Amino acid sequence: MNPGNQPSTPAIGLPPEQFAAAFPFHLAVDWNLRFLQAGATVRRLCPEIQPDASLAAVFRLIRPEGEITRSWILDNRQRFFLLEHRSTGLQLRGEFMHLPGTEILLFLGSPWFVDSAEIAARGLGFDDFAIHDPVVDMLQVFQASKIA
């Protein structure tokens, strides 16, 4: 495939069901940082994620250091974000992106664990993660290294 010789690239999108399966920990917020949508797994773990609830009321920003505001997110969207669920301490690592032509910010991420035991402790199983998510594989490697 030679992208330079293609007259136009067709838009690629995912139906909502496939998007939710591919990104079970995604968060979508409007311009006022109110939840519009979230992945099924993150909604189960963080029940405060409800339509119109505030991102800042549900999550605390750990990285980059700052305040959760639209301008802060837009100014730092090339960096990785670490969010912490205020009531459970669950940490999500990922990135924010602005969906062109909309007033929507999308967070794509997954849980940030330092020990594989945290997966079960949070009530998670392998089926709660997208197949492409390397978190579970990395934790198994980390655990094997720790045992060795």
Side-chain angles (χ1 to χ4, degrees), residues 19-33:
F19 185 86
F23 303 104
F25 295 95
H26 81 277
L27 305 169
V29 295
D30 66 16
W31 228 221
N32 295 315
L33 303 182

Side-chain angles (χ1 to χ4, degrees), residues 6 31 46 63-64 70 78 112 121 124-125 140:
Q6 291 181 337
W31 228 221
C46 309
R63 285 190 194 141
R70 175 182 6 136
Q78 300 301 324
W112 181 254
L124 293 169
Q140 288 177 337

Side-chain angles (χ1 to χ4, degrees), residues 85-145:
H85 184 235
R86 290 184 182 275
S87 59
T88 66
L90 175 71
Q91 293 184 349
L92 299 175
R93 180 192 194 279
E95 67 177 303
F96 274 98
M97 56 181 55
H98 174 231
L99 298 182
T102 72
E103 293 184 347
I104 297 173
L105 294 170
L106 182 62
F107 175 82
L108 298 176
S110 24
W112 181 254
F113 297 126
V114 294
D115 190 332
S116 57
E118 287 184 73
I119 293 174
R122 296 269 181 201
L124 293 169
F126 294 127
D127 292 346
D128 291 312
F129 293 85
I131 293 171
H132 64 83
D133 193 336
V135 168
V136 176
D137 295 334
M138 290 173 61
L139 284 170
Q140 288 177 337
V141 169
F142 178 71
Q143 193 68 25
S145 172

